[in-house]
Amino acid sequence: MSIEKKLTKIKKTLPEHVTLVAVSKTKPNSDLQEAYDAGQRVFGENKVQEMTRKWEELPKDIQWHMIGHVQRNKVKYMASFVSLIHGVDSLKLLKEINKQGKKNDRKISCLLQVHIAEEETKFGFDENELVEMIQDQAFLELKNIEVQGLMGMATFTDDKNQVKKEFNTLHNLFQKLKSNLDGLKILSMGMSGDYQIAIAEGSNMVRIGSSIFGARNYS
Ligand SMILES: *Cc1c(COP(=O)(O)O)cnc(C)c1O
């Protein structure tokens, strides 16, 4: 099936309030262009260098989302154009994003990543850390960032109940924080394998790669 067909098929299954981030990491420009020609404008990448190269080479009305783990020294390369950074997992990183936002005379939109999976390796805040940080004066002083929501990744497992439980936990936290954090509106959860569960549990932004572009080949 062509990228266009797969994209159209997935879009049909998404409720209107859910934003689709087409995760194009490792894929060539021609694949992104095909999705673009089918109407897709939001793309997700997980490496700053690769995203910057694609931004330079592809149409300028694409919204670029950084969905991967971000190293502080890389923020400067994407600060002028990135439309949303999903994986923000520390105050230190937020401070750097704020600094680069200031240099570029803009507010950079961010999602705070929350650790909901069982695996130790996944990045993100714990609930308590998050609640503490958003009350921290150093956080409240950052004027060149805009925290728009939360992002999370469920455990990589076939156990649908566990995935559901983890997404539900994040949705509850999202609802709870809404009253403390102005502008909290995006809940980014769900990938190719679990986005239907995520939407049922309250996600309004899904990050889908392989179901659109096919399996990735890391070589
Ligand atoms: C790669 C990636 C995705 C997309 O994964 P698929 O299973 O290919 O849909 C989603 N979110 C993050 C953070 C990723 O790194």
Side-chain angles (χ1 to χ4, degrees), residues 36-147:
Y36 179 91
D37 291 339
Q40 184 64 26
R41 291 294 180 273
V42 184
F43 291 85
E45 291 283 334
N46 71 340
K47 296 218 164 65
V48 174
Q49 244 161 332
E50 183 178 344
M51 184 173 79
T52 304
R53 180 178 55 72
K54 287 173 172 171
W55 165 69
E56 283 167 355
E57 295 169 354
L58 286 160
K60 285 295 172 284
D61 61 341
I62 289 177
Q63 295 162 42
W64 293 101
H65 287 202
M66 174 43 59
I67 63 167
H69 186 250
V70 178
Q71 287 172 288
R72 270 179 289 152
N73 61 357
K74 301 270 173 69
V75 175
K76 56 178 177 284
Y77 301 113
M78 62 175 169
S80 70
F81 72 90
V82 69
S83 128
L84 185 64
I85 303 177
H86 288 233
V88 177
D89 63 353
S90 71
L91 181 57
K92 269 186 168 175
L93 177 57
L94 269 178
K95 284 180 179 168
E96 175 62 19
I97 296 169
N98 185 69
K99 183 175 149 192
Q100 298 301 331
K102 201 168 182 175
K103 272 193 188 164
N104 286 274
D105 196 25
R106 64 178 294 227
K107 274 190 184 213
I108 300 179
S109 299
C110 299
L111 304 181
L112 303 175
Q113 184 168 356
V114 183
H115 183 267
I116 52 171
E118 249 178 16
E119 293 116 328
E120 285 292 330
T121 52
K122 298 222 164 109
F123 297 101
F125 290 98
D126 290 335
E127 175 164 348
N128 291 337
E129 288 171 351
L130 191 59
V131 170
E132 220 170 89
M133 187 192 72
I134 63 171
Q135 296 168 350
D136 191 327
Q137 195 53 35
F139 169 76
L140 296 167
E141 279 167 7
L142 302 175
K143 298 296 181 223
N144 288 82
I145 55 151
E146 197 166 274
V147 173

Side-chain angles (χ1 to χ4, degrees), residues 17-19 21 63 65 83-86 109-114 146-152 170-171 173-175 178 181-189 202-207:
H17 69 278
V18 176
T19 301
V21 180
Q63 295 162 42
H65 287 202
S83 128
L84 185 64
I85 303 177
H86 288 233
S109 299
C110 299
L111 304 181
L112 303 175
Q113 184 168 356
V114 183
E146 197 166 274
V147 173
Q148 295 195 334
L150 304 180
M151 180 271 218
L170 186 55
H171 184 243
L173 179 61
F174 178 65
Q175 296 293 9
K178 262 185 174 177
L181 258 185
D182 279 350
L184 213 65
K185 58 184 184 211
I186 298 174
L187 183 55
S188 167
M189 54 185 202
S203 167
N204 57 24
M205 184 172 276
V206 292
R207 309 175 308 270

Side-chain angles (χ1 to χ4, degrees), residues 23 25 46 67 151 153 191-192 207-210 216:
V23 175
K25 60 193 187 196
N46 71 340
I67 63 167
M151 180 271 218
M153 290 169 85
M191 320 190 353
S192 290
R207 309 175 308 270
I208 301 181
S210 45
R216 282 175 297 273

